[in-house]
Amino acid sequence: MGNITGRDFIARLNRMNTEIWLDGQKVKGPISEHPAFKGVIQTISSLYDLQNDPKIKGEMTFSIDGQKESVGLSYLQPKTKQDLQSRRKMIDHWARHTHGMMGRSPDYMNTVLMSYAASTPLLKGKENCFPENIQSLYERAMANDLSFTHTFITPQINRSQLNLGFSTEPVSAKVIERNNKGLVIKGARLLATQGGFTDEVLVYTAPKLFFDPDEAFAFSIPSDTKGLKFICRESFVGGDSSFNYPLSSKYEEMDSIVVFDHVLVPWERVFFYNNVDAATDFKLRSSFYPFAYHQVITRQIAKTEFILGVAQLMVDTINIDEYQHIQEKLSEIVIGLETMKALLENSENDAGLDEFGVMRPSMLPLQVAGNVFPKVYPRFCEIIQLIGASGMVALPTEKDFESSIGTDLEKYLRGENKSAPDRVRLFRLAWDLTMSPFGTRQTQYERYFFGDPVRLSSFLYQNYPKDYYRDIIEQFLKK
């Protein structure tokens, strides 16, 4: 009970019988030993071990009143600003451990579940709603330190707002039957990052135009539930070598399509169903967005710090820091970093208790940060590419240095203050960060983490308190 170790996490995954498909083949054998998954599973395992590090365990876990076991601090429902800051410190430890490269480190989904549980009164007394099941899952997840993925998105067959999606066979996952055991789901959902190698998958239909009541549901089920399958995209793990693939060998999270083939969701697992208002209202009024943004922005700050470190080390290695255009480019990263840090701190300073007594970070500065990062992250990657220039193109491998041509490489590829292997190792890191399949997926991932950037900007505009500023001008014009 309580927070687990990395060994516990791996053992639990290997005991499951989850149906995972990759490159036309059904994955067989222990998932932790598969080439496409073993690196990231080892990294997640190290995150769980970090919770038990005596040096920082007090910042990674907390104890529930009356219970001896400690649980992960990502489950803490903050009641004070100090609680909120404690949550951020915990998130920061995990984010720095992975250099911000893992959008689905366990604290993200733990945060989602915590926020849902903190807002269950919104569902009490409403038709086809079972807030007690959310609370039950929250308590079970804390007690067993469960891992989760989620899927909120429907397939992109026709994204026109006028497309009603009439079909004889369900495409988007929907309820096709209700019986005394639960709901039967058929269809598919996108986009489950780490889908297939977590304990459970949380399913929630994001509100949309022309909402089909049979798609208005939310639940969480074990990943190895009968009839559930995860269809993976191509793996971006280039290989085991941390020299050649320093990031993808450790942080390739995998993304998958989730297919429901007459999947039975027991009633005790259902949060709500056949209630469009509940699906829309709970998502918008719960504390999901403030806490999810708080976790994500903390991770993105750690990622930006890593990018700045890579850029500066490249500049030092090839001795180009005297050029003003280089200084300007690195200043762009510094400005982005300090902007994100200031917005995160602002969200904590302006935090307030919600109607349920939970200390929510202020949403507006988090929304601003959420609009800033999708725009600046691709630019950060471009800056890395511009700094590296042609040096990012012809990069030898680890085996090249171990072969008879190693002496040539030692002579021609050294840096100002680095040996050739060290210089190439750095530039391969820059390549894996910004140009490899792993790196380009990271760019797309950050662009769309919270959805369409245009929609996010529109949502910010609609919710920003503009009247005060307009009234200032109206009063000025009357003088």
Side-chain angles (χ1 to χ4, degrees):
M1 303 294 286
N3 58 289
I4 61 173
T5 66
R7 182 179 296 180
D8 296 330
F9 167 72
I10 291 177
R12 202 157 63 190
L13 285 188
N14 287 339
R15 286 196 299 268
M16 298 180 73
N17 189 30
T18 305
E19 185 174 352
I20 306 170
W21 288 79
L22 175 65
D23 197 25
Q25 299 290 323
K26 185 176 179 180
V27 174
K28 297 180 180 180
I31 186 69
S32 66
E33 297 176 11
H34 192 283
F37 308 109
K38 65 180 181 180
V40 69
I41 288 175
Q42 283 295 332
T43 299
I44 299 170
S45 170
S46 70
L47 290 174
Y48 283 110
D49 285 338
L50 204 62
Q51 287 189 137
N52 296 284
D53 185 337
K55 296 179 182 178
I56 59 171
K57 186 172 183 178
E59 296 181 352
M60 300 298 294
T61 62
F62 74 107
S63 297
I64 300 175
D65 293 341
Q67 297 186 19
K68 182 179 179 181
E69 296 84 4
S70 60
V71 298
L73 210 145
S74 51
Y75 288 110
L76 175 67
Q77 294 179 350
K79 305 298 183 183
T80 65
K81 289 185 179 181
Q82 185 176 354
D83 286 345
L84 191 58
Q85 291 164 359
S86 295
R87 283 186 53 84
R88 191 234 310 146
K89 288 180 182 178
M90 174 277 305
I91 295 165
D92 187 60
H93 279 305
W94 271 5
R96 289 176 183 274
H97 188 74
T98 62
H99 312 295
M101 297 294 156
M102 289 183 58
R104 287 295 179 272
S105 54
D107 51 318
Y108 176 76
M109 286 305 300
N110 294 353
T111 295
V112 170
L113 188 54
M114 177 279 293
S115 68
Y116 283 178
S119 304
T120 52
L122 291 170
L123 296 178
K124 286 185 178 178
K126 294 188 176 181
E127 184 179 13
N128 302 329
C129 293
F130 310 98
E132 65 276 12
N133 291 346
I134 299 178
Q135 182 64 30
S136 176
L137 176 62
Y138 171 61
E139 293 173 1
R140 186 169 69 252
M142 276 196 295
N144 297 284
D145 215 356
L146 297 179
S147 59
F148 293 82
T149 184
H150 74 58
T151 174
F152 289 175
I153 307 172
T154 56
Q156 296 180 328
I157 293 177
N158 185 341
R159 301 195 71 182
S160 166
Q161 292 191 20
L162 298 178
N163 174 46
L164 299 181
F166 295 123
S167 173
T168 56
E169 281 290 317
V171 175
S172 176
K174 64 190 297 182
V175 177
I176 61 169
E177 181 186 341
R178 296 191 293 268
N179 57 43
N180 61 346
K181 292 183 178 180
L183 304 175
V184 179
I185 309 293
K186 183 173 175 57
R189 281 291 163 85
L190 314 173
L191 172 70
T193 300
Q194 292 189 18
F197 51 97
T198 62
D199 294 300
E200 299 204 5
V201 53
L202 189 152
V203 184
Y204 193 120
T205 305
K208 60 181 180 178
L209 197 64
F210 303 121
F211 212 158
D212 183 346
D214 285 331
E215 293 184 33
F217 52 70
F219 56 83
S220 183
I221 53 176
S223 295
D224 59 355
T225 297
K226 182 180 179 182
L228 188 65
K229 71 180 76 168
F230 297 87
I231 303 176
C232 300
R233 59 159 168 78
E234 178 184 359
S235 173
F236 297 152
V237 176
D240 291 337
S241 170
S242 60
F243 182 102
N244 295 338
Y245 309 101
L247 298 177
S248 68
S249 62
K250 301 179 181 70
Y251 308 129
E252 215 300 62
E253 292 185 278
M254 184 56 74
D255 306 293
S256 62
I257 302 166
V258 186
V259 177
F260 300 80
D261 185 5
H262 295 84
V263 172
L264 175 65
V265 180
W267 287 118
E268 65 270 18
R269 291 281 189 162
V270 177
F271 303 160
F272 57 80
Y273 74 98
N274 194 30
N275 192 324
V276 171
D277 291 338
T280 303
D281 196 44
F282 188 69
K283 190 72 176 293
L284 296 178
R285 290 184 56 200
S286 74
S287 56
F288 165 75
Y289 281 115
F291 285 115
Y293 268 95
H294 186 254
Q295 190 275 342
V296 171
I297 302 306
T298 302
R299 175 187 62 79
Q300 290 173 336
I301 288 171
K303 193 172 191 175
T304 305
E305 291 175 341
F306 185 76
I307 289 171
L308 179 58
V310 171
Q312 185 60 55
L313 191 55
M314 292 174 71
V315 167
D316 293 343
T317 298
I318 55 178
N319 195 20
I320 55 173
D321 65 342
E322 66 186 60
Y323 300 108
Q324 285 190 322
H325 76 92
I326 294 295
Q327 296 169 9
E328 180 192 31
K329 289 178 173 61
L330 265 70
S331 292
E332 285 188 54
I333 304 176
V334 170
I335 292 167
L337 173 60
E338 292 302 319
T339 298
M340 297 286 286
K341 287 164 65 176
L343 290 166
L344 181 64
E345 184 174 336
N346 189 12
S347 77
E348 294 177 358
N349 290 339
D350 293 349
L353 292 173
D354 66 12
E355 57 191 304
F356 312 121
V358 175
M359 183 62 68
R360 292 191 189 187
S362 177
M363 188 59 190
L364 276 176
L366 293 174
Q367 277 186 275
V368 172
N371 275 269
V372 167
F373 199 73
K375 295 178 175 64
V376 298
Y377 185 79
R379 173 57 178 166
F380 294 164
C381 294
E382 182 184 34
I383 288 171
I384 295 286
Q385 295 166 0
L386 293 173
I387 291 171
S390 60
M392 300 278 283
V393 179
L395 290 170
T397 66
E398 186 174 26
K399 287 185 177 180
D400 285 326
F401 280 103
E402 296 171 352
S403 72
S404 60
I405 61 172
T407 53
D408 289 331
L409 299 178
E410 287 279 4
K411 180 179 179 181
Y412 299 117
L413 294 182
R414 66 183 185 272
E416 168 66 16
N417 52 13
K418 286 187 179 296
S419 67
D422 287 345
R423 178 189 178 280
V424 171
R425 183 188 293 271
L426 170 62
F427 273 66
R428 288 200 69 93
L429 170 60
W431 168 81
D432 209 11
L433 178 62
T434 66
M435 294 174 62
S436 71
F438 172 87
T440 53
R441 181 263 183 193
Q442 288 281 322
T443 302
Q444 193 75 345
Y445 193 68
E446 298 295 2
R447 275 194 180 115
Y448 291 95
F449 193 97
F450 279 113
D452 178 4
V454 174
R455 182 179 59 82
L456 295 179
S457 297
S458 177
F459 189 66
L460 173 62
Y461 171 78
Q462 292 168 7
N463 288 276
Y464 194 81
K466 303 176 291 293
D467 292 350
Y468 169 77
Y469 306 101
R470 181 197 60 202
D471 292 345
I472 290 175
I473 304 306
E474 288 187 341
Q475 290 299 319
F476 174 80
L477 292 173
K478 291 177 181 178
K479 292 180 180 180

